[in-house]
Amino acid sequence: MLLRALALGQLLHAAAAVQVTNSPQNATKFDVLDYVDPLIGTVNGGHVFPGASLPYSMAKSVADVNEEIQGGFASNDADVTGFSHMHDSGTGGGASMGNFPLFAQTGCAGNDLNRCYFNKKSRASKRKNGTVIARPGYFAISLNTSVTAEMTVSNHTALYRFTFPTDGSPTKDTDPRVPYSPLILADLSDLSESRSKATVLVDGKTGRITGNGTFNPSFGIGTYDSHFCVDFHGAQVRDNGVWINNRAGHDPKSLNVTNNVPAGAWVQFGPPQSDNQILARVGLSFISAAQACENAEREIPDFGFQKIRDQAEDAWRAKLNVIKVDNTGIDKSLQRTFWSAFYRTLISPQDYTGENPLWKSDEPYFDSYYCIWDSFRSTHPFLTLVDPHAQALMIRSLIDIYRHEGKMPDCRMSLCKGFTQGGSNADNLLADSYLKGLTDGIDWDTGYEAVISDAEDEPPLWTVEGRGGLHSWKTLGYIPTDDFDPYGVGIYTRSISRTVEYSYNDFCIAQMARDMGKVHDAEKYLNRSGNWLNMFDPESRSRLNLTGSHSAADFVDSGFKGFLQPRYMNGTFGYQDPAICTDLYNFTSCYLNEDGHETYEGGSWLYTFYIPHDVATLVPTLGGSDEFLRRLVYLHETPGLFYIGDEQSYIMLFLFHYIGRPGLSSQYAHKYIPSAFNDTIVGIPGNDDSGSMASFSALTMMGLFPQSGQDVYLITAPFFPEYSILNSVTGHTATVRTKNFDAAYKNIYIQNATLDGKPLMKSWLTHDFFRDGGVLELHLGPKESGWGSGQDHIPPSASTHFWKK
């Protein structure tokens, strides 16, 4: 997560209040796709991919722009440079994929081939305002060239339908009218211009274009090869050839390039035979161009655009309809926020099964774990609820990556190893699925072997896998800021946040060991999970710049003492301003670079609270329940100190549960939804990170916060009167029902609860409710109650509950 987006504030509550629906979801007129807006988060740092996709599909087509390019398209004023077929969604940093874009032109001025436009810079065209249509499985846009592009997809194939004007509208306003002889080109580039070599071939008779290229991943090391196959339908082929720079020719019909010069192939047609439309089918593969062609011919044999679009919509309805919501009285804006979030969570990871050239295996292969540091916290727990079979396949894929590459990834994209941002967080992801009882062909013995490898064996390059500093971790009990680590190479920063993350990684492993009967391992890793405390400096303080002054003399002491701080190998503490990497001080300084700081994408104000496995120890460490509450409220209420747009911030809304105040968790959930999470194009507060922001908002609206890596769901009041979740593996349905619900959200505090008719005093659930089904009934009111406040009713911690399972 790298960038932030604009929050619209509580004004959205008032604006949306007039848009209400009074019918339950199961009414015949309800179509869930009408409440999905793929354009949410497509500007100002959200980087959401808004194009045509299937759940987890490899093919993802959209119009690509030349500003804020990470999601391919952005809802800004940037020019459109082409239409490409593979993307990631919501990523920070560099742009991913966007390989082999097409671009269509009505004709060439003067019927001169070289008066068409070939490279991105020259062909870039403005969009027509108000012409973008985005819906699950479909994307359309019209350019100022008067060409309209529509697109839909199957799993490995993109299908485009270009509609051309008949009035000779040129590509550039400065050109004269053009003869009606459409030209469609394929470009051997990607979004980030990372190509190192490529080949392309056009069949002189049929116009089929095949090719491949070698590209760099956007957040990792190595290279990957991608292949494509384009066929056309709807017009007679008139001519074709290749192009380089901004010049094209009829011969030769093939081209090899070994540098990053713009290049590709083109096909020119006579006037379309029907409706002024030409279809382009693009098969995709990571194996070969031949397999790309086979994928296209198998998946879309007849160029039936509407048929493929209908199939895509049906696929999305099947996935989304596992949740049924009583939407009585709920404003449409909030409904769009929820369903769009659910939708975005299913865009990635991407199913590349059968398209992995790196090894042969009968196991599934998923890619675009981009990144698990982000997605383990809410994306995968959400998938465990709504699509447990897919989640099991992803776990099997991670374990298979371990078998063949020696480590599970913390981040992976485009068949390449991605950068590790902190700990070995696939450990948390495996633990979450294991503790919740997922099986479905998962080899848990090898899975356990994989997490133990992360905990014990430092890899030579821990920048992209595993953990660094393991010798110090095992001997000193923390990652020293001046660590001596001759056993592996990585970015020697983030000593505080790595210590925190390694602690939680080891706790997750300890739980797996406990439930597998490996008592010695459980004790060892449980002990290591307390290492975070070794970075706590009880004397450190935080002085805040609350006035924007340039003078340190004007800074104000926060009134709180004790923060996680850098610690050296000799045991002494250093000092890093706890407010660093907030809006109050140097927000952008804690990223993954050599001159970064000792915390990652947040400061010690955030990480001192981030002990999800042992809040029972954290509370007295910070001065007891009253002082913990005062500090936590101060974090939320001090302008500029807290940023909800990074994934490790999610838990800050729900820590109130651990001091018996779950009503405050509900209160802060409503503070950030819809102010930071809403249905506008700036409707998420940061990068969506492969659905991480989406899944968090969806879960929060359901009144659930999963402590990922644990079998714990914290309960708050949902944003709906009632909803149910069908477990597609067990066939059971879990229903959450409220009493005294009001759509104005005044009754947001749980007064009491029953689970299957029996009183529930605990403020948390376990996964068996969602696996086996049942009814959770929550009685709501306008004020906090004592529900969830008893010592036996707060969620579990490592120091109090580990052996009580």
Side-chain angles (χ1 to χ4, degrees):
M1 179 62 61
L2 297 177
L3 298 175
R4 294 170 293 172
L6 177 69
L8 297 185
Q10 297 302 326
L11 178 64
L12 286 165
H13 261 314
V18 297
Q19 299 183 21
V20 299
T21 178
N22 294 306
S23 56
Q25 180 189 325
N26 59 10
T28 56
K29 64 181 180 181
F30 182 88
D31 183 352
V32 66
L33 301 192
D34 293 338
Y35 290 85
V36 174
D37 184 355
L39 295 172
I40 293 172
T42 52
V43 74
N44 209 18
H47 299 168
V48 167
F49 164 78
S53 175
L54 294 180
Y56 322 118
S57 64
M58 191 169 92
K60 299 186 187 299
S61 59
V62 80
D64 294 328
V65 296
N66 56 8
E67 294 177 17
E68 199 168 348
I69 64 176
Q70 286 86 347
F73 181 81
S75 295
N76 53 24
D77 293 327
D79 294 343
V80 174
T81 61
F83 307 93
S84 67
H85 340 292
M86 292 190 294
H87 296 83
D88 284 311
S89 183
T91 64
S96 184
M97 297 190 289
N99 317 79
F100 314 120
L102 304 183
F103 192 80
Q105 301 169 64
T106 302
C108 306
N111 210 23
D112 179 353
L113 176 63
N114 282 299
R115 293 185 69 184
C116 272
Y117 297 88
F118 291 92
N119 63 43
K120 285 183 182 178
K121 184 176 181 179
S122 65
R123 71 184 188 238
S125 301
K126 292 292 184 185
R127 72 198 77 175
K128 286 186 176 180
N129 292 335
T131 64
V132 172
I133 301 173
R135 185 174 168 89
Y138 177 80
F139 186 89
I141 189 172
S142 295
L143 305 183
N144 65 354
T145 64
S146 296
V147 174
T148 295
E150 302 170 90
M151 55 213 74
T152 188
V153 296
S154 57
N155 278 316
H156 308 90
T157 308
L159 184 61
Y160 299 88
R161 183 164 65 188
F162 297 107
T163 302
F164 298 93
T166 58
D167 61 359
S169 296
T171 300
K172 301 293 181 183
D173 291 339
T174 54
D175 287 343
R177 296 287 176 179
V178 298
Y180 194 17
S181 184
L183 182 144
I184 301 177
L185 64 84
D187 187 333
L188 296 174
S189 68
D190 65 346
L191 285 172
S192 59
E193 304 296 346
S194 76
R195 189 200 73 229
S196 54
K197 60 181 179 179
T199 64
V200 69
L201 169 68
V202 59
D203 186 294
K205 179 181 290 188
T206 66
R208 167 177 278 189
I209 302 173
T210 54
N212 61 73
T214 300
F215 303 91
N216 297 335
S218 59
F219 191 66
I221 62 172
T223 62
Y224 68 96
D225 291 340
S226 186
H227 309 264
F228 73 104
C229 174
V230 189
D231 292 299
F232 302 98
H233 178 79
Q236 190 70 35
V237 172
R238 174 184 164 191
D239 203 354
N240 50 53
V242 298
W243 61 271
I244 191 166
N245 285 316
N246 200 34
R247 302 288 293 178
H250 311 279
D251 290 303
K253 302 295 186 186
S254 63
L255 184 66
N256 294 305
V257 289
T258 56
N259 53 28
N260 202 25
V261 63
W266 58 273
V267 179
Q268 194 166 23
F269 305 89
Q273 297 158 355
S274 177
D275 298 323
N276 299 303
Q277 294 175 341
I278 297 176
L279 290 100
R281 182 186 66 188
V282 185
L284 305 164
S285 178
F286 289 106
I287 303 294
S288 66
Q291 183 153 316
C293 295
E294 292 169 5
N295 288 340
E297 291 164 352
R298 180 182 66 257
E299 294 177 358
I300 307 179
D302 57 3
F303 289 84
F305 189 92
Q306 191 60 46
K307 175 183 176 182
I308 299 302
R309 179 182 174 182
D310 289 345
Q311 290 175 355
E313 290 198 350
D314 289 344
W316 280 111
R317 288 189 187 94
K319 291 294 186 183
L320 298 175
N321 281 337
V322 299
I323 293 182
K324 301 293 184 183
V325 172
D326 178 356
N327 54 17
T328 303
I330 305 302
D331 64 69
K332 292 184 178 180
S333 173
L334 286 172
Q335 292 188 62
R336 281 191 295 268
T337 300
F338 174 74
W339 289 112
S340 300
F342 187 174
Y343 162 81
R344 295 200 312 275
T345 308
L346 273 60
I347 293 176
S348 289
Q350 300 177 24
D351 187 355
Y352 289 5
T353 303
E355 290 292 339
N356 178 7
L358 302 178
W359 61 80
K360 293 185 180 299
S361 174
D362 293 329
E363 285 295 277
Y365 178 75
F366 279 73
D367 206 286
S368 292
Y369 296 98
Y370 199 162
C371 293
I372 294 174
W373 185 90
D374 306 286
S375 64
F376 88 84
R377 306 170 201 264
S378 57
T379 301
H380 289 281
F382 185 72
L383 293 178
T384 300
L385 287 175
V386 302
D387 200 351
H389 175 66
Q391 174 65 12
L393 296 179
M394 294 170 194
I395 294 294
R396 289 169 59 183
S397 174
L398 289 171
I399 294 171
D400 207 41
I401 292 170
Y402 162 76
R403 288 191 188 99
H404 293 93
E405 296 202 338
K407 292 286 184 184
M408 294 186 295
D410 188 60
C411 197
R412 190 175 183 88
M413 75 291 298
S414 312
L415 307 166
C416 295
K417 295 180 179 181
F419 295 124
T420 296
Q421 295 165 275
S424 51
N425 293 305
D427 304 343
N428 310 350
L429 202 163
L430 261 66
D432 192 78
S433 293
Y434 178 76
L435 295 169
K436 292 172 181 174
L438 268 63
T439 52
D440 219 349
I442 301 171
D443 178 356
W444 281 118
D445 289 336
T446 303
Y448 186 73
E449 181 183 300
V451 301
I452 294 299
S453 172
D454 284 338
E456 300 296 334
D457 304 322
E458 181 169 327
L461 185 63
W462 50 267
T463 297
V464 295
E465 58 193 358
R467 308 185 205 170
L470 281 180
H471 179 73
S472 293
W473 181 248
K474 297 173 186 178
T475 58
L476 299 177
Y478 58 96
I479 299 297
T481 302
D482 59 346
D483 194 21
F484 173 65
D485 182 9
Y487 307 101
V489 176
I491 298 176
Y492 298 98
T493 59
R494 301 156 292 136
S495 61
I496 295 172
S497 54
R498 285 167 57 205
T499 294
V500 168
E501 292 192 37
Y502 292 5
S503 296
Y504 193 56
N505 298 154
D506 281 347
F507 174 73
C508 291
I509 295 170
Q511 293 175 101
M512 290 183 70
R514 177 197 63 200
D515 289 8
M516 289 181 169
K518 303 177 188 294
V519 177
H520 174 74
D521 282 1
E523 292 173 341
K524 177 171 70 170
Y525 295 115
L526 177 63
N527 183 59
R528 282 193 200 172
S529 76
N531 283 355
W532 64 272
L533 197 54
N534 295 328
M535 298 291 273
F536 184 77
D537 178 2
E539 300 303 318
S540 61
R541 302 190 71 90
S542 173
R543 299 181 72 243
L544 302 176
N545 184 3
L546 299 179
T547 64
S549 172
H550 295 292
S551 172
D554 295 328
F555 290 9
V556 177
D557 189 274
S558 66
F560 299 98
K561 186 172 72 170
F563 292 89
L564 297 180
Q565 288 293 345
R567 194 173 187 184
Y568 302 109
M569 293 188 72
N570 64 8
T572 61
F573 282 101
Y575 181 77
Q576 175 179 294
D577 190 325
I580 200 169
C581 304
T582 70
D583 272 337
L584 299 180
Y585 177 43
N586 209 352
F587 178 84
T588 60
S589 63
C590 291
Y591 294 141
L592 197 62
N593 44 53
E594 298 286 353
D595 60 349
H597 294 284
E598 301 313 311
T599 50
Y600 182 68
E601 295 194 359
S604 284
W605 264 99
L606 187 66
Y607 278 99
T608 299
F609 278 114
Y610 190 80
I611 313 297
H613 57 298
D614 201 5
V615 185
T617 296
L618 178 64
V619 169
T621 300
L622 296 185
S625 294
D626 291 344
E627 189 67 1
F628 184 88
L629 173 62
R630 189 172 77 89
R631 186 189 286 214
L632 188 55
V633 170
Y634 188 88
L635 173 71
H636 283 285
E637 297 298 335
T638 302
L641 189 57
F642 178 63
Y643 170 49
I644 190 66
D646 274 322
E647 283 74 11
Q648 71 276 45
S649 66
Y650 298 164
I651 191 176
M652 304 301 147
L653 278 65
F654 300 95
L655 288 174
F656 300 100
H657 274 66
Y658 290 86
I659 53 172
R661 300 290 297 276
L664 290 180
S665 298
S666 183
Q667 180 177 311
Y668 279 99
H670 282 270
K671 174 179 180 177
Y672 297 108
I673 299 175
S675 67
F677 299 88
N678 52 68
D679 68 339
T680 69
I681 59 173
V682 292
I684 53 177
N687 309 146
D688 205 28
D689 285 320
S690 299
S692 297
M693 291 282 151
S695 52
F696 165 74
S697 56
L699 285 161
T700 301
M701 294 182 76
M702 293 163 67
L704 300 171
F705 182 74
Q707 282 284 39
S708 180
Q710 306 174 47
D711 187 10
V712 173
Y713 296 85
L714 308 183
I715 307 170
T716 56
F719 283 56
F720 309 104
E722 180 176 325
Y723 68 86
S724 63
I725 307 175
L726 171 67
N727 187 303
S728 59
V729 172
T730 67
H732 297 303
T733 297
T735 298
V736 177
R737 180 178 300 146
T738 64
K739 295 293 185 181
N740 301 323
F741 178 88
D742 75 301
Y745 299 114
K746 295 179 181 178
N747 296 343
I748 62 170
Y749 302 100
I750 298 172
Q751 308 297 298
N752 55 72
T754 60
L755 181 62
D756 294 330
K758 298 178 181 179
L760 176 70
M761 300 302 297
K762 297 189 304 182
S763 62
W764 55 285
L765 287 168
T766 55
H767 187 68
D768 54 359
F769 170 67
F770 300 102
R771 182 186 63 238
D772 301 335
V775 177
L776 172 66
E777 189 167 275
L778 306 173
H779 294 249
L780 307 181
K783 296 181 180 180
E784 271 194 274
S785 71
W787 179 81
S789 63
Q791 192 60 36
D792 294 333
H793 305 150
I794 63 176
S797 286
S799 57
T800 58
H801 290 77
F802 184 82
W803 295 108
K804 294 181 181 180
K805 182 175 174 66

